[in-house]
Amino acid sequence: MAKLQHVIEAQQFTLPLIHELFQTADQMEKILERGGTLDYQNKIMASLFYAPSTRTRFSFESAMYRLGGKVISTEQAHLFSSVIGGETLEDTIRVVSNFCDVIVLRHTEVGAAKRASLVSSVPVINAGDGKGGQHPTQALLDLYTIYKELGYIDGLKIAFVGDLEQGRTVRSLAYLLGKFERVMLYFIAPDFLQIREDIQNYLTRHNVWFTLENDLSKVISEVDVIYITRIEKERFADKADIYDETVKKYFIDKDVISKMKQKSIIMHPLPRLNEIATDVDLDPRAAYFKQARNGLLIRMALLTMVL
Ligand code: CP
C-alpha cells in the first residue's frame, strides 16, 4: 500500500494514488460490513478543530473507531485549548504530536495545515483550512462518489455552482479533476463569487477545458454533475439587495432537475442552506447524502495510508 506522509492539498494526489485510494475505500466497505477491524488498536488520532464541523469531524472519528483505533479530540480548539492563552498553532502541534499517531486539523486560516505539517512529528491531515483554502479529503470523497455513481471520470462534464471564490471544496475538486482526461468544468456564479485566477491558471497550464458562466440553465441539460455549494448571506455585505435574487437564481428544485440528463447526479458538500429543495432528496440523482457516507470510507482509507 502506498504510504502518505501528510494530506495537505489535492494537487499532491497522483492518478495512481487516487486509484489506489478508491480500491482501499472499496475494501473499507467490506470491513464495515463485518463491523470494523482491530488492526489499528494501538493507534491514536487527534482531531483538532478550530472551526465548526459535523461531517468531517464525525466521519474521521468514526473512521478511526471502525479501524480499531482511539480518538482524542477538541471540537472547539479556539475555545477549549491553550490557544485561548495565546499559544501558536505551531506550538500546539509540536505538543499534540507527542500524544498521537495522526492529527486531523480544521483551521480558520488558509495554509494552517501546511504550517502544522512542517512542525509535526506525526502525519497531518487537512480537514479544511480557511475560506478559499482547501478541503482535500472532501474532494477525494466527492471524486469517489462521482466514480461510484456514474462509473467514469474521464470525459466528465461538471457544473460548479455557488460561492466558487471561497469554496474550498470546489477548489480542491477542480485540482483533482484537472488530472483526468477530457473533463469539462463549467463554473457558474455571479462575477464576484467566481472561481479565482489561481485555479483558472492551474487548469490552463494542465490543458483542462473550463468556462465561466452565470446562467445554469444554459448548461444544465449537458452536464453529468451539478455540484452546488452554500451561498452565505455574509458574502453580500454591500450587495444585500441581490442576495435573495442570487439564491433564487441558482435554487435547485424539481423543475430545474427535470432538465437534467437521466444519468446525472446532484452533489453538495453540505451543510445546505437554501440551495436545494428538500423534495429533490427523493430523486435517484440526489447524491449528497451518499457523499457523506462515502466520506467515512475515504477517510478510513486515508487513515490506513498515513498510519
Ligand atoms: N462538508 C463538510 O466539510 O462538512 P462539515 O463542515 O460539517 O465538516
Side-chain angles (χ1 to χ4, degrees), residues 4-55:
L4 277 171
Q5 195 185 0
H6 301 287
V7 178
I8 305 299
E9 57 185 19
Q11 303 92 302
Q12 76 184 79
F13 285 85
T14 60
L15 280 180
L17 196 51
I18 291 168
H19 287 127
E20 183 170 346
L21 179 70
F22 286 5
Q23 280 170 2
T24 311
D26 290 344
Q27 289 163 15
M28 293 303 145
E29 180 93 72
K30 295 189 176 67
I31 287 175
L32 273 186
E33 281 162 15
R34 299 200 302 265
T37 174
L38 293 177
D39 284 358
Y40 293 85
Q41 60 184 326
N42 294 326
K43 300 291 185 186
I44 296 175
M45 181 186 92
S47 70
L48 203 51
F49 278 63
Y50 290 78
S53 165
T54 300
R55 281 139 290 271

Side-chain angles (χ1 to χ4, degrees), residues 95-113:
V95 171
V96 172
S97 59
N98 288 299
F99 308 142
C100 62
D101 302 286
V102 56
I103 295 173
V104 177
L105 175 72
R106 171 167 289 188
H107 204 277
T108 51
E109 291 170 24
V110 174

